[in-house]
Amino acid sequence: MRLYNWPSTVSARWFHPLVLLVWFIIGLGLRFTNLTAKPPWTDEFATLVFSLGNSFLPVPLDQAIAPDILLQSLQPNLASGVGDVIHHLMTEDNHPPLYFVLVHLWMKLFPNEGELVSLFAARSFPALLGAVLIPLSYILGNLAFRSTLVAQLAAAMMAASPYAVYLGQEARHYTLAMIWVIASLSCLVIATRHIQNRTPLSLWVIISWVGVNGLGIATHYFFVLTLCAEALVLIFLAWQQSTQAKTLVFFSSVWWRIYAVAIGTAISCLVWLPGFLQNRYRSSLTEWIRSDRVGLEWLNPIFQAFAAWVTMIMLLPVESPQLAIVIVSGLGMLMFAIWATPILLRGWKFQLYQPQTNLETQVFTGVILGAIALFFILSYIFGIDITRGARYNFVYFPAVIILVGASLAPCWQTSKKAVTIIWLMGLVSAVTVICNLGYQKYYRPDLLLPIIQQNSQVPVLIATTHKTLVQTGEMMGIARELKFSDLQTTTQFLLAHQEKDPNTSTITLENTLKQLPRPLDLWLVNFYAPIPVEVNKCLPESQSSAAVNGYEYKIYHCL
């Protein structure tokens, strides 16, 4: 059928690989453009430190330290190996080790040109994996809908998606996790066809599916949400088939092999459970997604989730420093959404009511809705608001891209211009991300440093309250900017540790200030503890300064 495949006049063997290569080159170029222009933030520092086989624990606490001391954990250690990566990660962090081990091996390919680890080396790996998602989207689109047109549109949307570009430029594990999501969804598509035809899964599909799921869990624990969404789809199909057959199908030979996959996957999950539960840093590192809501805060997960959905396709410069650009961008996105949403809905309905694509459309829709439902259950019932982190939508984002490609396919036959405009919006949005006008980093030490330069001409002490490696990473961001700047002022850092009692940080700061010579400028940066008496002897800065993402600060001049 011409509707589901590219016009036959251009269907030579070389055509589809060539078009796919174009999407790959565009996607690769977008992900590598300005790759190191944005400063790393605290999560990326965790990737850098652990992938080197280093630890955060040697960073001195409760004493004034120089920037170079704070940055020691970012120095490559030739003696560190894969075992060190796994050990430090499992004892200090709350993530599984597969990605960090791969980055450890990857970074060995790059010569160490300076004292600190190369940011390009760390970010180039996820950027490359992000580009690999483009041909994988083509494969999944073609497998699911048996359509080269759907496959090409899915690849094109993956190449230019602002959300995909954002994750591709993060020195984190999300692009690798999405590779396993696509592979697992491919196995799900094959399984649903076996269920529909009432034929048992082959042994190679069972082994592949279990293996992929195990690798997904070894990359990110939230991959479990993908598996749960797939399980919900399978349960729905079983119920649907039981209703049609007027008998339970759960004990048929087809389903026993599905159970084998479930058991194998469960075992691959349980492997990581002891280390996950025993990690004493786990609860502290996840405090930021735990929330006790009051009033309108109950609406936050809805708006946060909606913002993530929108930016999978479009994102204009809504984070520009100029208000006029923000307003115009917001209005532009609203108008585009009003125009494009009916087009996508019509295409989705068309695929849903076609006998050839009904099952596949149901499967991908079910995965997306199931994952979203799990997000809201965790947020509203368990108080774990994972909608606060747009990056966690990686668990179902590939399914969205495939479904968007399928929804655009019918439109391509009637209005190629509309499909082109939707893709171009994605391309402009991707440029918005790489220019740091959308999906900005959570921490902006590059903005804080000029403020320090402007306000302090005497030695500086930057003090923060410390609980976990998160706060260490926050200060590393500032120290790294200092290292690459021309700031001549002597700067020291104080990580005042606290377990439960904030006064411990207060006492530490007071004792440290008594030991340091004057004059001194004290910068309290993300300092969440009572202000000590010694600080009251200093003069607070009277002029207000600009706000900086990730850094709340107060300035005191100690004469």
Side-chain angles (χ1 to χ4, degrees):
M1 296 177 61
R2 286 174 60 86
L3 179 60
Y4 297 106
N5 290 286
W6 214 272
S8 57
T9 55
V10 289
S11 58
R13 287 186 177 180
W14 54 264
F15 178 75
H16 287 293
L18 184 61
V19 174
L20 183 58
L21 179 62
V22 171
W23 303 138
F24 180 80
I25 292 173
I26 291 173
L28 189 68
L30 289 171
R31 286 154 178 79
F32 275 85
T33 301
N34 290 341
L35 186 60
T36 60
K38 305 173 188 178
W41 64 294
T42 184
D43 279 21
E44 291 185 294
F45 279 117
T47 299
L48 294 171
V49 172
F50 291 129
S51 297
L52 289 171
N54 293 339
S55 167
F56 281 88
L57 298 181
V59 175
L61 304 178
D62 299 333
Q63 59 181 282
I65 58 175
D68 288 341
I69 300 298
L70 181 57
L71 296 174
Q72 277 185 344
S73 296
L74 295 176
Q75 297 175 356
N77 182 1
L78 298 178
S80 296
V82 170
D84 298 295
V85 175
I86 296 173
H87 171 72
H88 292 309
L89 188 71
M90 298 303 290
T91 55
E92 299 177 39
D93 198 51
N94 58 353
H95 291 96
L98 177 59
Y99 175 80
F100 299 86
V101 169
L102 294 177
V103 174
H104 175 79
L105 300 174
W106 170 263
M107 290 196 298
K108 287 184 177 296
L109 302 177
F110 295 80
N112 181 32
E113 299 177 354
E115 296 180 1
L116 301 183
V117 62
S118 166
L119 182 59
F120 177 82
R123 284 183 176 168
S124 60
F125 186 63
L128 182 60
L129 294 181
V132 170
L133 289 169
I134 298 167
L136 292 182
S137 297
Y138 176 91
I139 293 171
L140 178 55
N142 203 13
L143 172 68
F145 289 88
R146 301 181 181 90
S147 165
T148 52
L149 177 55
V150 171
Q152 291 286 7
L153 290 171
M157 295 305 295
M158 180 63 81
S161 166
Y163 181 79
V165 172
Y166 150 63
L167 291 184
Q169 293 194 321
E170 287 271 293
R172 296 296 281 169
H173 33 206
Y174 304 110
T175 50
L176 179 61
M178 285 193 290
I179 288 177
W180 307 132
V181 171
I182 288 179
S184 187
L185 289 175
S186 300
C187 294
L188 177 66
V189 168
I190 294 171
T192 54
R193 287 179 181 158
H194 278 278
I195 292 171
Q196 186 182 43
N197 298 327
R198 292 177 170 79
T199 57
L201 283 177
S202 63
L203 185 61
W204 76 266
V205 173
I206 295 174
I207 295 173
S208 300
W209 203 355
V210 171
V212 164
N213 292 345
L215 291 171
I217 296 165
T219 302
H220 201 294
Y221 291 133
F222 280 1
F223 184 83
V224 171
L225 295 176
T226 301
L227 302 180
C228 291
E230 291 180 353
L232 291 173
V233 169
L234 291 171
I235 292 170
F236 172 77
L237 291 177
W239 171 80
Q240 193 178 51
Q241 199 174 68
S242 297
T243 302
Q244 293 172 352
K246 296 182 179 180
T247 183
L248 293 176
V249 300
F250 293 99
F251 302 105
S252 64
S253 59
V254 177
W255 284 95
W256 281 115
R257 299 206 173 188
I258 299 291
Y259 300 151
V261 174
I263 293 171
T265 300
I267 293 172
S268 67
C269 287
L270 294 174
V271 168
W272 303 106
L273 189 59
F276 179 77
L277 294 177
Q278 292 174 10
N279 192 327
R280 62 191 179 95
Y281 292 97
R282 181 175 59 85
S283 59
S284 299
L285 290 169
T286 57
E287 279 183 358
W288 69 277
I289 59 175
R290 297 181 181 275
S291 58
D292 296 321
R293 303 182 189 89
V294 292
L296 293 177
E297 291 179 355
W298 284 95
L299 298 177
N300 287 351
I302 297 173
F303 288 109
Q304 289 161 179
F306 181 76
W309 303 335
V310 169
T311 56
M312 291 179 181
I313 298 176
M314 62 171 175
L315 178 61
L316 296 181
V318 292
E319 294 185 89
S320 169
Q322 299 181 5
L323 181 59
I325 295 178
V326 174
I327 294 173
V328 171
S329 299
L331 291 175
M333 290 176 65
L334 178 61
M335 293 173 62
F336 178 82
I338 293 173
W339 170 77
T341 300
I343 295 174
L344 293 171
L345 285 177
R346 281 196 299 269
W348 174 78
K349 289 180 180 178
F350 181 90
Q351 301 286 27
L352 186 63
Y353 293 117
Q354 290 293 307
Q356 304 95 325
T357 57
N358 168 265
L359 176 64
E360 291 77 10
T361 306
Q362 284 188 8
V363 167
F364 285 99
T365 303
V367 168
I368 295 168
L369 294 180
I372 291 172
L374 291 171
F375 271 58
F376 285 127
I377 289 171
L378 288 173
S379 298
Y380 282 110
I381 297 178
F382 294 96
I384 304 174
D385 188 6
I386 58 176
T387 64
R388 291 185 63 185
R391 55 195 182 275
Y392 297 140
N393 292 281
F394 79 87
V395 300
Y396 64 93
F397 170 67
V400 172
I401 289 297
I402 300 301
L403 203 56
V404 168
S407 300
L408 290 175
C411 180
W412 177 261
Q413 302 298 327
T414 57
S415 179
K416 294 179 175 61
K417 185 183 294 185
V419 176
T420 303
I421 291 172
I422 291 173
W423 184 80
L424 287 175
M425 171 57 91
L427 182 62
V428 172
S429 301
V431 173
T432 296
V433 173
I434 63 179
C435 292
N436 207 25
L437 296 173
Y439 271 126
Q440 292 185 351
K441 297 297 183 184
Y442 300 97
Y443 297 85
R444 296 294 304 275
D446 56 319
L447 298 182
L448 181 61
L449 189 60
I451 299 175
I452 296 176
Q453 291 174 316
Q454 180 181 352
N455 288 275
S456 295
Q457 284 74 46
V458 299
V460 170
L461 175 66
I462 299 175
T464 189
T465 48
H466 177 274
K467 289 187 176 180
T468 67
L469 59 87
V470 172
Q471 290 75 42
T472 307
E474 292 171 358
M475 296 303 104
M476 280 181 168
I478 303 174
R480 184 179 180 275
E481 290 296 316
L482 281 168
K483 186 172 182 64
F484 296 115
S485 74
D486 56 357
L487 183 64
Q488 301 298 319
T489 303
T490 301
T491 305
Q492 292 181 292
F493 290 85
L494 171 66
L495 282 69
H497 187 68
Q498 62 175 245
E499 292 291 340
K500 295 181 180 180
D501 184 6
N503 289 309
T504 57
S505 297
T506 304
I507 296 170
T508 298
L509 176 58
E510 183 153 20
N511 292 336
T512 303
L513 285 175
K514 290 178 180 179
Q515 298 171 9
L516 295 178
R518 304 296 193 271
L520 174 73
D521 278 357
L522 171 65
W523 288 69
L524 298 183
V525 180
N526 297 346
F527 191 86
Y528 305 117
I531 304 299
V533 175
E534 192 71 19
V535 174
N536 294 329
K537 299 177 183 178
C538 304
L539 299 177
E541 176 63 47
S542 57
Q543 297 181 352
S544 60
S545 299
V548 177
N549 286 7
Y551 296 103
E552 298 178 14
Y553 61 92
K554 295 179 181 179
I555 312 168
Y556 295 87
H557 302 286
C558 304
L559 305 178

